[in-house]
Amino acid sequence: MAKKLWGGRFTKPTDPSVEEFTRSIHYDYKLAKYDILGSVIHVEILGKAGYLKPGEVYRVQTALLKMGAGKFSPDLSYEDVHSQIQGMLEQKIGDLALKLHTARSRNDQVVFATKVYCKDKLAQVAILGENLTNALKSLAKANSDIIMPGFTHMQHAQPVYLKDYLGAYVMMLEAGVDKVKIAATDIKLTMGAGAVAGTPIKAKHYNVLMDKYAKKLKLGLTGLKLEPTKNSVYTVSDRGFVAEALNVTAIIAAHLSRFAEDLIIWSTKEFDFIDIDEAFCTGSSLMPQKKNADALEMIRGCAGRLYGNRIGFLTIIKGLPLSYNRDMQLDKEPLFDSFETIVKELKVLKGLVKTLKFNKDKIESQLDDESLYATDIVYHLVNKSVAFKTAHEIVGKLVRYSIDNGIEIKSMTDHELSRFSDKLKNKEIIRLFDPKVSVESKRSVKR
Ligand code: ARG
């Protein structure tokens, strides 16, 4: 094991089983860029506080920025990413690197790095979410004339426009993206907590504009402002921002899972509403005819995985005493996994949506089902001053009679209809069985 950031008081080496169990470098190396950003800023602060001379500030920052510009490969002989960056810096600039950890603790460092990581990933999710929203909007627009059966309980309910069905997912996604943006803005970047009690450095030195460093590290984040911590105990203890990131990604995953399920159902032979492009499907090793929507099935399933990440993490922090405890290290894997998974899902869906084809004839052939217009007959009676509940009962009996006798309502004579209500006339109700009339009569908000 490479040199640890601690060890002076120890006389025995760490047991290999503990070393293996507690190490996080194999996953937290993904924080390298963000941790290097934190270190570069910390060096500026050390300069302002007089712990480093201007020339030293320059040398340490230059070495760190160079490290941040290259590819960062985890070295498993280190405990964590913070230790590896320190170790690499020592190799590059020698003893001067030993001053980097002045007035700093990994407890504060890891919060900063994880917060910037979250901001970065939330920004990426917001962009990909908007891309998918736009793809869905175009799909809805390109198929704006298609009317389909609306379902409740998976049963035929009333005709609706396909564009409204897709528009529902657009709105869910837009709400998700809004939540993602709020979560990102809510994350305030601070330093100065030390291990728990703060540092001897004056608060004013912690006011740093970070954009120039973020730019050098090609982070793509702007408007980054560092502030002094208002409460050092809070800073090292709180992981509400992690919970929030896991929450918003889980909510989006839930919406994507429902969308995936709708598409899977629509692609079955029984429905045949859509044709999913071959590039987004896979085959079977045994059945040569198969074209399966595996990617959609995984999107459906991954919601469970993202819920698991969220609830697993919330369980870890439940009952955790203040302030920092090593349990908190266990936030990384679920956090990384949720972000990486949702990013993949959004990318796959965008491509799939862009190439999706609707089988207009097949969808509209479903609209012959008379039951879809039963509610329209109820409204027809209501317009003739029949109370809604009474009208509902009348049409219910009419539907029952139609099923029992195998007679379409459309083809019933006035005499037959009068058994249910003298206000039902064949000539008047026949026009109700028109999908467009049905949809337009209820679409009070024009979209
Ligand atoms: N790898 C640790 C984490 O993710 C960093 C902080 C370790 N601090 C400590 N005092 N052991 O939480």
Side-chain angles (χ1 to χ4, degrees), residues 60-77:
V60 186
Q61 283 193 331
T62 309
L64 282 167
L65 289 169
K66 205 166 159 202
M67 201 190 297
K71 188 177 143 43
F72 193 92
S73 310
D75 175 345
L76 297 189
S77 68

Side-chain angles (χ1 to χ4, degrees), residues 365-383:
S365 70
Q366 292 293 319
L367 299 171
D368 294 342
D369 174 8
E370 274 198 345
S371 76
L372 287 163
Y373 309 92
T375 317
D376 296 302
I377 308 174
V378 173
Y379 283 128
H380 175 73
L381 287 171
V382 167
N383 288 337

Side-chain angles (χ1 to χ4, degrees), residues 6 22 24 28 79-82 105-107 110 239 324-326 328-332:
W6 44 275
T22 57
S24 55
D28 71 10
E79 185 181 357
D80 58 20
V81 65
H82 321 291
S105 160
R106 284 179 294 167
N107 298 356
V110 75
R239 291 295 184 276
Y324 179 84
N325 295 276
R326 193 66 175 265
M328 289 170 165
Q329 176 169 293
L330 302 173
D331 65 353
K332 313 277 175 321

Side-chain angles (χ1 to χ4, degrees), residues 337-408:
D337 183 66
S338 283
F339 274 126
E340 287 165 17
T341 306
I342 206 78
V343 160
K344 283 183 206 159
E345 288 186 26
L346 290 166
K347 284 181 180 170
V348 165
L349 274 177
K350 184 185 133 190
L352 192 147
V353 162
K354 280 188 148 180
T355 49
L356 197 63
K357 299 269 176 296
F358 284 95
N359 302 331
K360 189 169 191 272
D361 295 346
K362 199 78 200 195
I363 296 172
E364 295 192 339
S365 70
Q366 292 293 319
L367 299 171
D368 294 342
D369 174 8
E370 274 198 345
S371 76
L372 287 163
Y373 309 92
T375 317
D376 296 302
I377 308 174
V378 173
Y379 283 128
H380 175 73
L381 287 171
V382 167
N383 288 337
K384 289 181 173 284
S385 304
V386 180
F388 187 90
K389 210 157 174 279
T390 312
H392 189 284
E393 183 72 18
I394 291 169
V395 179
K397 291 210 164 84
L398 180 64
V399 169
R400 183 72 256 169
Y401 175 82
S402 158
I403 297 168
D404 288 348
N405 297 284
I407 312 170
E408 282 194 316

